[in-house]
Amino acid sequence: MKTDIYSMLPEELCEYFISLGEPKFRAKQVFERLHRGERISEITNLSKALRARLSEETLDALPYVEEKHVSKIDGTVKYLFRLHDGACIESVLMRYKHGNTVCISSQVGCRMGCKFCASTIGGRVRDLLPSELLGQVIMVQRDSGERISNIVMMGIGEPLDNFDNVVKFLRLVNHPDGLNIGYRHISLSTCGVVSGIERLAEIDIPITLSISLHAANDTRRSEIMPINNKWNIDALLSACVSYYKVTGRRISFEYTLISGKNDSVSDAEELAAVLTAAFRGTGAPIHVNLIRVNEVEETGFKKGSVESVNAFAKTLEKRGITATVRRRLGSDVNAACGQLRRSNMLKKDEQKS
């Protein structure tokens, strides 16, 4: 197996270069250049012999751009990245007034089985290495030529199902000699892996946690999110309250609105009651991010009207819960996670047949 130097912190790189008979200063030198987006062959202040050896012995963890689609509507850029083993993942560059945000994937595929999500079709292939998580941010920054200031882990995969690699990535991307992106500018979305939320609360990484809730009672949530059969809403919200008490970090809730399934005014009232009861007495602000479902052929789910979405949001606001409707970026380039990878897989299947 090749050595994955992109997954190494400077102190680990230092030990690696000492083992090669190289001076310690190589570690900082190489760490900085790798995090600028340079491949080994491009680090010209290394000798040709050392570059040749590293190219032979180390993993080429930076992804390659397989497809790139730029929205004519808002400039959002959707990337389909090809990894060293041929697997493909997605990343999205979104430009806001407060800075550039990249949405990254955490796994090749996903095993969580959420019924409305294109990412989970075909299941989980493998976890991404810390280097492959980092590589998405590096390559988006290199390709765009623009500074990435914010990261959302809301792409393909469940981040807390790849816990150790995700935590290592967070330490790498936050390192002052690397991309130096602050933890408070990083948001991690989970479908409700309670054990991961509990572990995350134990370590000193003050990222923002975003919970994919999508229903206000166990019957409905279990129908669309199998994870609810392992950790129900009570267990999930209890873990969220504990996370807030330990970290002091606000938790946001993602709620995908599916026409006729979970988008009525009574659904909104039930959601408000459940969240208010769970966080009563904690002083925690409650924020719900409403998302109109992406219509994926395999799911059959449809989005509701703009009027029904607004009525849902107003109902939450009346009950004292802040609600925002997520602005859909890159709608003309299938910027929602999983769609581009899915179409690429179908193309390859057609070519084989």
Side-chain angles (χ1 to χ4, degrees):
M1 292 180 64
K2 293 193 172 186
T3 302
D4 183 12
I5 61 174
Y6 282 92
S7 288
M8 292 181 182
L9 290 161
E11 56 269 26
E12 295 168 321
L13 265 179
C14 187
E15 291 179 9
Y16 173 70
F17 280 109
I18 288 173
S19 74
L20 298 182
E22 292 290 327
K24 288 183 179 180
F25 70 80
R26 287 276 183 250
K28 188 172 188 295
Q29 184 182 55
V30 171
F31 186 85
E32 290 176 349
R33 298 290 287 269
L34 293 179
H35 285 236
R36 283 187 211 166
E38 297 182 23
R39 299 183 190 274
I40 293 296
S41 60
E42 298 170 319
I43 306 179
T44 52
N45 56 351
L46 299 180
S47 68
K48 286 184 179 180
L50 182 56
R51 273 182 279 157
R53 181 176 182 181
L54 292 175
S55 295
E56 178 66 27
E57 296 181 1
T58 65
L59 184 69
D60 184 13
L62 288 184
Y64 292 84
V65 178
E66 183 82 357
E67 294 182 32
K68 175 182 173 182
H69 302 269
V70 182
S71 171
K72 294 178 181 177
I73 299 172
D74 52 40
T76 296
V77 185
K78 180 70 174 279
Y79 293 91
L80 183 70
F81 283 128
R82 176 172 47 84
L83 304 175
H84 62 92
D85 62 353
C88 288
I89 54 171
E90 297 176 14
S91 306
V92 182
L93 169 63
M94 298 166 285
R95 296 179 173 93
Y96 297 99
K97 290 180 180 178
H98 61 267
N100 295 320
T101 296
V102 61
C103 178
I104 66 170
S105 297
S106 56
Q107 296 174 311
V108 181
C110 182
R111 65 175 175 173
M112 295 297 112
C114 299
K115 304 301 183 186
F116 52 84
C117 183
S119 297
T120 199
I121 298 171
R124 169 186 164 277
V125 178
R126 68 173 177 86
D127 292 335
L128 293 184
L129 300 166
S131 55
E132 293 170 323
L133 291 154
L134 178 68
Q136 296 170 71
V137 185
I138 289 173
M139 288 306 294
V140 169
Q141 185 162 280
R142 174 172 173 163
D143 182 78
S144 66
E146 300 174 33
R147 162 78 175 163
I148 299 299
S149 53
N150 302 279
I151 299 170
V152 290
M153 304 190 73
M154 296 182 181
I156 296 170
E158 164 56 58
L160 297 184
D161 191 37
N162 186 18
F163 189 90
D164 291 336
N165 287 340
V166 164
V167 169
K168 184 66 176 292
F169 155 71
L170 292 172
R171 299 196 190 283
L172 285 164
V173 80
N174 176 251
H175 199 282
D177 292 335
L179 295 180
N180 195 24
I181 296 176
Y183 288 136
R184 295 178 185 275
H185 294 276
I186 301 173
S187 179
L188 182 151
S189 177
T190 176
C191 68
V193 180
V194 167
S195 60
I197 295 171
E198 292 170 343
R199 289 180 68 190
L200 200 59
E202 293 172 358
I203 57 180
D204 187 22
I205 299 183
I207 60 172
T208 298
L209 192 61
S210 183
I211 304 296
S212 296
L213 195 57
H214 310 312
N217 64 65
D218 286 327
T219 299
R220 195 157 295 160
R221 192 166 192 264
S222 294
E223 288 175 358
I224 59 175
M225 300 184 74
I227 191 73
N228 199 71
N229 293 311
K230 185 169 185 178
W231 291 294
N232 65 14
I233 292 175
D234 281 347
L236 174 58
L237 294 182
S238 177
C240 290
V241 170
S242 296
Y243 184 87
Y244 173 76
K245 287 180 178 178
V246 170
T247 66
R249 297 290 292 156
R250 188 193 77 170
I251 296 173
S252 65
F253 292 90
E254 307 285 324
Y255 193 100
T256 294
L257 293 161
I258 305 169
S259 180
K261 196 80 173 171
N262 65 352
D263 66 337
S264 68
V265 168
S266 62
D267 288 320
E269 290 172 343
E270 186 176 16
L271 177 62
V274 167
L275 292 178
T276 300
F279 285 89
R280 184 173 286 118
T282 65
I286 304 173
H287 178 265
V288 176
N289 194 11
L290 299 173
I291 310 153
R292 297 177 75 196
V293 71
N294 293 300
E295 296 183 355
V296 179
E297 184 178 348
E298 288 90 341
T299 69
F301 290 148
K302 300 294 182 184
K303 64 183 66 173
S305 65
V306 173
E307 290 76 16
S308 68
V309 174
N310 290 337
F312 198 102
K314 286 178 181 177
T315 301
L316 292 179
E317 294 280 359
K318 285 179 183 177
R319 304 274 180 304
I321 292 177
T322 303
T324 55
V325 179
R326 181 186 289 176
R327 186 163 58 99
R328 193 180 176 201
L329 298 178
S331 59
D332 57 332
V333 292
N334 283 337
C337 73
Q339 294 179 314
L340 187 54
R341 175 175 174 265
R342 182 66 180 158
S343 63
N344 181 265
M345 289 168 65
L346 292 173
K347 267 189 224 172
K348 289 181 178 178
D349 288 343
E350 288 174 5
Q351 290 168 358
K352 288 177 184 176
S353 60

